[in-house]
Amino acid sequence: MIKIAPSILAADFSNLKSEIQKIEKSACMLHIDVMDGHFVPNISIGVPIINSIRPHSNLIFDTHLMISHPQDYIKVFAKAGCDLISFHVESDCDVAKTIDLIHAVGLKAALALKPATPAKEVFPYLPNLDMVLVMTVEPGFGGQAFMEDMLPKITEIREYANEIKPDLDIQVDGGINLDTAKKVLLAGANVLVAGSFVFQSKDPAREVQQLSNLY
């Protein structure tokens, strides 16, 4: 099943409620990028924003923590209403313990990889993960060009997961549009994060539906 997760990083922050309502019925998840200005060279949003938008959406809140110490913030993001938390294998934390902490507060856990990080870095953790997030741009800024050399990484993770956890979701984030979405789906992904392609279009709901109908 293809799951579409529009990224609010590309939305109009002056009217997030309205922006979310545009894709509420067509999307499966809402992708929320949290950046600390340390792990990545940008600062985005945090708990107060999630608290404010949670009452206005029934979508799964798919929260991507691009922060140095994710283990210190799991409980506060859970309390804010997140449903799934992704954090980076490259972050400064005990990865296994952080996955366990996410599950302990009742959320799904995902592990993210920067473009330079080999697929094998997530293999030891796959049995305990709900999803792997493959970045197809350098994390930190929206609107970047899709990196095609990430496609083999997606396939490598899917092939490994098929042996030990066939139901693992593989999410791709970065430069997703109708053309690149086809490539990542063929490579083995099934969850698509789309920011600019969705929220900077005239009809965000239509773009989400087009992505959903690719296969």
Side-chain angles (χ1 to χ4, degrees), residues 149-194:
D149 55 347
M150 294 298 105
L151 293 171
K153 182 189 293 189
I154 298 168
T155 301
E156 187 177 351
I157 295 171
R158 175 56 70 198
E159 290 176 347
Y160 189 87
N162 284 344
E163 298 296 323
I164 61 170
K165 193 164 188 177
D167 62 344
L168 180 79
D169 283 331
I170 298 180
Q171 184 179 68
V172 176
D173 182 1
I176 294 297
N177 54 39
L178 291 177
D179 291 330
T180 58
K182 293 176 183 177
K183 295 176 181 180
V184 302
L185 291 171
L186 285 171
N190 68 304
V191 185
L192 307 176
V193 176

Side-chain angles (χ1 to χ4, degrees), residues 27-191:
C28 176
M29 311 160 80
L30 186 68
H31 191 77
I32 303 170
D33 288 308
V34 177
M35 310 177 197
D36 63 1
H38 183 260
F39 182 74
V40 292
N42 194 11
I43 296 174
S44 59
I45 66 174
V47 169
I49 298 295
I50 297 172
N51 272 323
S52 69
I53 63 176
R54 179 73 275 183
H56 304 292
S57 176
N58 291 316
L59 291 171
I60 294 168
F61 275 21
D62 161 33
T63 306
H64 178 193
L65 300 184
M66 288 175 268
I67 63 179
S68 295
H69 304 286
Q71 74 280 3
D72 295 337
Y73 299 94
I74 301 304
K75 292 181 180 179
V76 293
F77 279 104
K79 188 176 179 180
C82 300
D83 301 289
L84 183 157
I85 290 181
S86 303
F87 70 99
H88 276 262
V89 69
E90 307 93 352
S91 63
D92 186 9
C93 73
D94 183 311
V95 173
K97 288 183 178 178
T98 304
I99 293 169
D100 288 343
L101 179 57
I102 294 171
H103 286 147
V105 295
L107 307 187
K108 290 186 175 182
L111 202 52
L113 301 89
K114 291 182 177 181
T117 303
K120 66 181 181 180
E121 292 300 315
V122 302
F123 290 174
Y125 310 105
L126 285 191
N128 294 321
L129 290 172
D130 300 287
M131 187 173 78
V132 170
L133 166 53
V134 178
M135 296 297 299
T136 47
V137 297
E138 289 295 338
F141 295 90
Q144 299 180 62
F146 177 80
M147 300 169 69
E148 286 213 27
D149 55 347
M150 294 298 105
L151 293 171
K153 182 189 293 189
I154 298 168
T155 301
E156 187 177 351
I157 295 171
R158 175 56 70 198
E159 290 176 347
Y160 189 87
N162 284 344
E163 298 296 323
I164 61 170
K165 193 164 188 177
D167 62 344
L168 180 79
D169 283 331
I170 298 180
Q171 184 179 68
V172 176
D173 182 1
I176 294 297
N177 54 39
L178 291 177
D179 291 330
T180 58
K182 293 176 183 177
K183 295 176 181 180
V184 302
L185 291 171
L186 285 171
N190 68 304
V191 185

